[in-house]
Amino acid sequence: MSENTKEKRTEIGTLGEFGLIDHITKDLPTVNPSTIKSIGDDAAVIDHSKEGVTVISTDTLVEGIHFDLMYNPLKHLGYKAVVVNLSDIYAMNAYPKQITVSLALSNRISVEAVEELYEGIKSACEYYKVDLIGGDTTASPSGMFINLTAIGVNKKERIVYRNTAKVGDLLCVSGNLGAAYLGLQILEREKQLYLDTPGIQPDLEEQQYLIGRQLKPEARFDMVELFEKNGLIPTSMIDVSDGLASEIFHICKQSGVGAIVEESGIPLHPDTEQMAIKFKMDPATVALSGGEDYELMFTINPNDMEKVKFLPDIYIMGEIVEKSEGIKLHTKGGNIHPIKAQGWVHFPTK
Ligand code: ADP
Ligand code: MG
């Protein structure tokens, strides 16, 4: 585990703001016909009028809050910054088409470091077929800030909101939960060991899956495609960024309903189960309170059960109930507990 220093270090000052922008944005292809004008003018121009309504989402990542340059390789960080944003667009059941990237850079960051960050950003753009159409570059007195805006599209009637879950709907999730949180715990543990004993080699080899889910997550574009191919529109949807419990609370609060979750229905990767136990944590609690899974949680009309049953990587883990019944977990042991919304809190209340 070492700081992201390459052998060569070019100060940003040697290129200047405009030189740096030219350097990182040269040879940027665009693949979407809706991108009319990309980087280079005062503003980008896009046209989604033929494809449907436009969906926009923005996110800011702050050094020390959302990432730690000690264990976030810049290339992965760039990739993840894009993925986190695209995930919000998929959570609306829309297709992302364009992104903008704004950076505030401290003097710790070299030209080579920005290059690495952009390698990750560009590689995510290529994989998810989105165009990088603009941004802003400025200095920061300390710490790095990355702001991303994603722009997507879909037919108005296919957009899915958080406030439209109905009593009787089935509560579903893609993929598995809790792995990214444990990946972070492992990285934090190794960082602490390294700080206590500099020079020590981190022992990360055996936990590649968990660490990969933390450092290089993917967004579930395949779910949005799967829904479309199978003539399915979820009744509500949200992406799992702050932990399952927190997302269930958002859906329930906004839809005016309650939910019952089967502990046995929460999908967990075997590595998650094993590592949770090593950390003396309850695996279901890790899934409920962890976060950064970037899976999609959604509700479907029970009449669509047949369609969902045979789709890959979709897990039915509960049901939407009357608001008066609250939000509860039915444990494997047969008990029923209220779920607390203990997701990631950025501004803890003391
Ligand atoms: P302005 O002075 O109008 O803000 P800039 O000189 O900041 O223009 O930007 C010039 C062009 O480069 C614009 O198209 C802008 O969107 C783009 N751009 C600036 N910074 C970035 C960045 N970090 N990533 C991608 N594009 C950028
Ligand atoms: Mg600018």
Side-chain angles (χ1 to χ4, degrees), residues 7-31:
E7 276 163 29
K8 191 159 170 273
R9 182 186 160 96
T10 313
E11 296 301 328
I12 288 175
T14 55
L15 286 183
E17 179 192 327
F18 298 124
L20 179 69
I21 294 172
D22 282 347
H23 183 63
I24 57 183
T25 62
K26 67 170 187 284
D27 305 328
L28 260 183
T30 60
V31 296

Side-chain angles (χ1 to χ4, degrees), residues 7-77:
E7 276 163 29
K8 191 159 170 273
R9 182 186 160 96
T10 313
E11 296 301 328
I12 288 175
T14 55
L15 286 183
E17 179 192 327
F18 298 124
L20 179 69
I21 294 172
D22 282 347
H23 183 63
I24 57 183
T25 62
K26 67 170 187 284
D27 305 328
L28 260 183
T30 60
V31 296
N32 292 302
S34 55
T35 305
I36 311 258
K37 177 75 193 180
S38 185
I39 291 166
D41 214 310
D42 295 312
V45 181
I46 56 182
D47 180 9
H48 287 161
S49 60
K50 290 183 202 73
E51 295 163 81
V53 291
T54 302
V55 179
I56 302 180
S57 178
T58 193
D59 267 304
T60 303
L61 299 180
V62 178
E63 183 178 349
I65 303 279
H66 302 96
F67 61 90
D68 185 329
L69 288 180
M70 228 169 123
Y71 54 67
N72 283 105
L74 281 158
K75 193 172 166 186
H76 286 357
L77 182 62

Side-chain angles (χ1 to χ4, degrees), residues 16-321:
E17 179 192 327
F18 298 124
L20 179 69
I21 294 172
D22 282 347
H23 183 63
I24 57 183
T25 62
K26 67 170 187 284
D27 305 328
L28 260 183
T30 60
V31 296
N32 292 302
S34 55
T35 305
I36 311 258
K37 177 75 193 180
S38 185
I39 291 166
D41 214 310
D42 295 312
V45 181
I46 56 182
D47 180 9
H48 287 161
S49 60
K50 290 183 202 73
E51 295 163 81
V53 291
T54 302
V55 179
I56 302 180
S57 178
T58 193
D59 267 304
T60 303
L61 299 180
V62 178
E63 183 178 349
I65 303 279
H66 302 96
F67 61 90
D68 185 329
L69 288 180
M70 228 169 123
Y71 54 67
N72 283 105
L74 281 158
K75 193 172 166 186
H76 286 357
L77 182 62
Y79 193 92
K80 181 172 174 175
V82 176
V83 164
V84 167
N85 236 253
L86 301 187
S87 180
D88 282 321
I89 302 289
Y90 296 126
M92 301 299 290
N93 204 34
Y95 295 102
K97 298 287 178 182
Q98 288 89 14
I99 60 163
T100 64
V101 177
S102 297
L103 302 175
L105 305 167
S106 73
N107 58 14
R108 256 183 73 204
I109 305 291
S110 64
V111 171
E112 288 77 12
V114 181
E115 280 171 0
E116 260 186 72
L117 182 77
Y118 266 69
E119 259 180 62
I121 291 174
K122 287 176 188 175
S123 137
C125 284
E126 226 171 85
Y127 184 67
Y128 291 95
K129 300 189 179 65
V130 300
D131 297 331
L132 172 53
I133 59 162
D136 195 35
T137 308
T138 178
S140 155
S142 81
M144 175 160 72
F145 298 76
I146 309 171
N147 172 267
L148 257 104
T149 299
I151 302 160
V153 68
N154 208 350
K155 296 194 187 74
K156 195 175 173 186
E157 61 276 14
R158 293 203 64 88
I159 302 296
V160 177
Y161 300 92
R162 294 178 176 185
N163 63 355
T164 39
K166 297 271 177 317
V167 173
D169 286 352
L170 301 171
L171 184 66
C172 308
V173 71
S174 67
N176 67 74
L177 303 170
Y181 173 77
L182 290 179
L184 181 64
Q185 299 313 304
I186 296 165
L187 290 166
E188 285 286 347
R189 183 188 67 189
E190 294 302 320
K191 175 186 166 182
Q192 209 46 55
L193 283 175
Y194 177 83
L195 290 176
D196 294 346
T197 320
I200 197 174
Q201 281 304 307
D203 175 21
L204 305 173
E205 289 303 314
E206 284 186 6
Q207 297 305 334
Q208 297 223 357
Y209 179 74
L210 300 177
I211 291 166
R213 289 278 286 181
Q214 167 60 222
L215 292 183
K216 193 171 178 285
E218 300 288 357
R220 297 309 299 262
F221 70 94
D222 55 328
M223 285 293 143
V224 177
E225 290 176 358
L226 211 59
F227 295 153
E228 181 159 5
K229 275 193 201 121
N230 290 276
L232 184 81
I233 301 181
T235 53
S236 71
M237 186 150 65
I238 189 167
D239 70 326
V240 185
S241 51
D242 296 333
L244 187 59
S246 166
E247 317 309 352
I248 294 175
F249 267 80
H250 284 307
I251 292 272
C252 287
K253 190 171 176 218
Q254 294 203 25
S255 300
V257 295
I260 177 105
V261 179
E262 293 293 334
E263 185 186 3
S264 59
I266 299 175
L268 298 167
H269 190 277
D271 289 4
T272 305
E273 291 193 78
Q274 284 171 22
M275 191 44 76
I277 291 163
K278 266 197 195 165
F279 276 121
K280 297 193 172 33
M281 293 180 202
D282 170 41
T285 307
V286 166
L288 282 162
S289 314
E292 297 199 279
D293 299 300
Y294 302 107
E295 297 295 342
L296 293 174
M297 191 189 88
F298 53 95
T299 54
I300 59 157
N301 187 300
N303 297 331
D304 285 329
M305 171 83 170
E306 285 307 308
K307 287 182 191 163
V308 165
K309 230 161 71 181
F310 301 107
L311 296 182
D313 221 14
I314 294 181
Y315 304 87
I316 299 172
M317 56 178 182
E319 197 186 327
I320 298 297
V321 296

